[in-house]
Amino acid sequence: MSPHADFSMAANGHARTAFSALNGSNGNHLIESVNRSHLQYTSEDELHDVVCVGFGPASLAIAVALHDALDGTDPSLDIPGLQGRTPKVTFLERQEKFAWHSGMLIPGARMQITFLKDMATLRNPRSEFTFINYLFHKDRLVEFTNLNTFLPQRVEYEDYMKWCAGWFDEVVQYNQEVVQVLPEKSRTTSGEIKTFIVTSRNLQTGAIETRRTRHVIIAAGGKANIPRPFPSNHPRVLHSSQFCHAYPKLFNNPQYPYKIAVIGNGQSAAEIFDFLHANYPNSQTRLLIKGGALRPSDDSPFVNEIFNPDRIESTYCRDPELRAATLREDKGTNYGVVRLPLLEHIYETLYSQRIRYGNTPEAEERWPHRILPHRCVADVENSPAVKDGVRLHVRDQSPLYLSDLPNGAERQEVLDVDAVFVATGYQRDFHETLLRDARHLMPGGNLAGAKWQVGRDYKVLFEEKKVSPDAGVWLQGCCESTHGLSDTLLSVVSTRGGEVVRSIFNHGPIWGDEEQASLAQLRN
């Protein structure tokens, strides 16, 4: 099939593309279409080839790689295990629809990596799922080139991923919260585990559902990290991932003098701080950071090579102690840093306050928008001074670093605010919970604190001969300690998706005659 075909027939005889409406009003002949992938719905009670936990960018890239393998457009995915059949695949997603960092789609915010690191291009530039093909189908390709940028707006990139995700509606079950991945006892004499049972809760009905599968991919993404002493369930203490959902409700009057605290020294914290200044000019915003200054991310060309797909191999093969040291050294490319253009914009904002309010320490106290360095929140309670607000007890260590006099001492501060946004990253250990009932298969699983380990192909390492070679569990987005800083980012999702597909299906056909189907029909 042509890699950018608009209309063809799938094996089941249904049209893959249904024409629905003209795209735009300028007379352009392009058609807005509803696309369908080569993957087909699998009933809950059938034995699956793959059940994937989560349907974010990592899982989407795997779905795209499977489509490209069946489509024949990617020579690297000419895989024996996919010859002559369509795999039985289901993706289980907790959200009610596809969304990517929807709480941080701040107007004007841009991507931090090139659009070429999309769901397919680095693995297969001929794929239907490239960002450029998305622009072509949306009739914006020419205008995008006029922007002269590799960094699209974040809202546009999410729309691109939604467009990709829409191809796979037949194989994605939304509102499904996976609660357990359980090895199924084997009936064979060898006793090797050949299947797993994935249990999920339907969030609409509350019903418990189970699916049997040979292979499981856990790509559940990160869970918002709200560290102590911040409460995890306070209506006015919110993680940055909820910002765009929360601020319109909390701050419904743009002219009101709200008091807002932002915690963190990375890109998300800086974006929220800047947005509040621009859209709530009468507010009083405080950005609390542990260090002495916001620092720029290092995205220079040579440093950026640490995110190249081929760096994963050398990172994984590195001595563990050396690898850990290298990861600490490279964290300045991604953690606790801000892109330089935003830093310069924020500095100019604060400089404007120096002109308006004065440039003395006393005048700075009156600035509506301030960065408070060397601050650490020690306690959080309900505010007696601000209705429904929050009181922060803050350790101010700035005199230790910034005092003009010797022997500066730490001070205690109290901040009463209407709301607090905590931009402190994510936890990526949900797989430990899902696999809790499989620890008897883990090497050293009876030891306290033992963690699941994976091979270079992201396949979980079980005890030898406990799990069949034709079965297993793969982890995505939680392997930074072994596979490098790119593991949680978009940088390698397209190539990694292909690697996972090869790892699962490269062993050759393992299915019965009744499952055979004609792949040729998909390619005609």
Side-chain angles (χ1 to χ4, degrees):
M1 188 185 82
S2 170
H4 300 299
D6 283 289
F7 189 89
S8 66
M9 301 299 288
N12 62 5
H14 292 109
R16 282 189 51 245
T17 306
F19 297 143
S20 58
L22 289 176
N23 185 6
S25 58
N26 60 356
N28 194 298
H29 68 281
L30 290 176
I31 301 295
E32 183 68 26
S33 58
V34 177
N35 300 298
R36 289 292 177 264
S37 76
H38 295 322
L39 302 178
Q40 299 171 13
Y41 171 76
T42 301
S43 174
E44 179 185 336
D45 57 3
E46 292 188 65
L47 176 61
H48 287 64
D49 299 308
V50 178
V51 171
C52 187
V53 181
F55 194 59
S59 304
L60 178 57
I62 291 170
V64 167
L66 275 170
H67 174 94
D68 285 357
L70 297 172
D71 201 48
T73 61
D74 185 351
S76 73
L77 294 178
D78 185 13
I79 299 172
L82 292 175
Q83 297 299 318
R85 73 183 302 272
T86 300
K88 295 180 179 180
V89 179
T90 295
F91 298 85
L92 302 177
E93 170 55 49
R94 190 180 189 279
Q95 298 183 102
E96 63 182 14
K97 59 183 179 180
F98 184 90
W100 174 72
H101 290 309
S102 58
M104 280 300 294
L105 296 180
I106 295 175
R110 292 191 172 277
M111 295 294 294
Q112 294 175 257
I113 64 169
T114 169
F115 67 80
L116 293 174
K117 295 182 177 182
D118 56 25
M119 297 296 106
T121 298
L122 296 188
R123 174 183 50 77
N124 177 23
R126 298 188 299 166
S127 171
E128 293 178 285
F129 295 93
T130 66
F131 183 76
I132 289 178
N133 192 40
Y134 154 80
L135 291 173
F136 176 76
H137 277 274
K138 294 293 183 177
D139 198 19
R140 294 200 305 268
L141 180 57
V142 173
E143 288 77 11
F144 183 85
T145 63
N146 292 336
L147 292 174
N148 196 30
T149 181
F150 281 90
L151 304 176
Q153 291 188 44
R154 198 175 294 159
V155 66
E156 181 175 35
Y157 204 80
E158 194 216 23
D159 188 65
Y160 154 67
M161 286 196 284
K162 284 182 176 179
W163 177 78
C164 292
W167 287 63
F168 299 97
D169 283 343
E170 292 183 18
V171 292
V172 182
Q173 300 294 318
Y174 292 101
N175 289 297
Q176 290 287 340
E177 180 182 38
V178 177
V179 296
Q180 184 187 52
V181 175
L182 181 67
E184 188 174 30
K185 289 185 179 180
S186 175
R187 299 176 182 176
T188 63
T189 55
S190 68
E192 287 184 333
I193 301 297
K194 293 183 176 294
T195 55
F196 295 83
I197 299 174
V198 179
T199 303
S200 62
R201 179 185 297 109
N202 188 312
L203 296 179
Q204 289 183 319
T205 67
I208 298 298
E209 302 178 8
T210 59
R211 291 169 174 83
R212 296 177 64 244
T213 181
R214 294 184 178 97
H215 311 94
V216 180
I217 301 171
I218 300 179
K223 178 184 177 182
N225 177 44
I226 301 182
R228 295 180 179 178
F230 298 99
S232 59
N233 57 353
H234 195 289
R236 296 297 182 98
V237 179
L238 299 164
H239 191 262
S240 57
S241 60
Q242 296 300 309
F243 177 71
C244 286
H245 305 310
Y247 83 81
K249 301 174 184 177
L250 293 175
F251 316 132
N252 56 15
N253 182 357
Q255 302 305 316
Y256 189 81
Y258 297 107
K259 296 181 178 180
I260 311 167
V262 183
I263 313 297
N265 56 331
Q267 182 74 18
S268 295
E271 288 180 0
I272 292 172
F273 180 69
D274 181 62
F275 177 86
L276 292 170
H277 158 261
N279 292 273
Y280 296 89
N282 297 322
S283 67
Q284 184 184 88
T285 58
R286 299 291 180 261
L287 176 60
L288 281 65
I289 63 176
K290 288 185 177 180
L294 295 177
R295 299 184 181 278
S297 57
D298 188 346
D299 58 355
S300 55
F302 290 109
V303 171
N304 252 352
E305 289 191 344
I306 68 173
F307 301 115
N308 288 2
D310 59 6
R311 285 293 184 93
I312 297 174
E313 192 75 37
S314 60
T315 299
Y316 183 83
C317 294
R318 203 168 296 159
D319 175 81
E321 290 188 8
L322 180 59
R323 183 172 60 217
T326 305
L327 288 172
R328 288 193 297 270
E329 179 183 342
D330 292 338
K331 279 186 178 292
T333 61
N334 186 52
Y335 294 109
V337 289
V338 184
R339 285 189 61 83
L340 184 58
L342 179 57
L343 279 184
E344 294 173 336
H345 174 70
I346 291 175
Y347 193 88
E348 185 174 359
T349 295
L350 300 183
Y351 181 80
S352 297
Q353 293 184 141
R354 296 182 187 278
I355 299 172
R356 181 175 180 181
Y357 298 98
N359 197 29
T360 65
E362 294 75 21
E364 187 175 345
E365 296 286 340
R366 301 192 302 272
W367 291 6
H369 311 288
R370 296 179 62 196
I371 298 176
L372 303 181
H374 302 295
R375 297 315 202 268
C376 181
V377 177
D379 195 16
V380 181
E381 61 181 352
N382 291 330
S383 172
V386 176
K387 186 178 184 299
D388 298 324
V390 180
R391 171 165 286 187
L392 302 179
H393 295 270
V394 181
R395 293 170 52 196
D396 175 11
Q397 297 181 319
S398 62
L400 303 178
Y401 298 90
L402 304 176
S403 175
D404 293 335
L405 301 175
N407 303 318
E410 180 180 300
R411 299 181 302 207
Q412 303 298 315
E413 282 182 331
V414 172
L415 290 180
D416 289 293
V417 295
D418 291 286
V420 182
F421 290 98
V422 184
T424 47
Y426 298 85
Q427 296 175 329
R428 302 183 184 275
D429 57 0
F430 186 53
H431 61 284
E432 299 286 347
T433 299
L434 292 182
L435 294 171
R436 62 188 178 277
D437 295 316
R439 288 183 66 88
H440 62 286
L441 302 174
M442 176 198 292
N446 59 336
L447 300 176
K451 303 294 184 182
W452 290 101
Q453 302 298 316
V454 297
R456 167 61 184 86
D457 62 351
Y458 304 94
K459 187 177 183 180
V460 167
L461 300 176
F462 292 109
E463 283 274 13
E464 190 175 356
K465 296 184 178 180
K466 290 292 183 69
V467 178
S468 168
D470 296 333
V473 177
W474 282 254
L475 302 183
Q476 295 285 272
C478 51
C479 306
E480 182 182 278
S481 62
T482 53
H483 288 67
L485 288 175
S486 62
D487 189 71
T488 64
L489 308 178
L490 293 173
S491 298
V492 299
V493 290
S494 63
T495 54
R496 186 177 66 189
E499 289 179 7
V500 172
V501 169
R502 282 194 296 274
S503 177
I504 292 175
F505 292 102
N506 214 27
H507 44 62
I510 60 173
W511 18 83
D513 293 337
E514 73 279 1
E515 294 177 300
Q516 298 301 318
S518 175
L519 188 61
Q521 287 182 277
L522 294 174
R523 294 180 173 176
N524 290 333

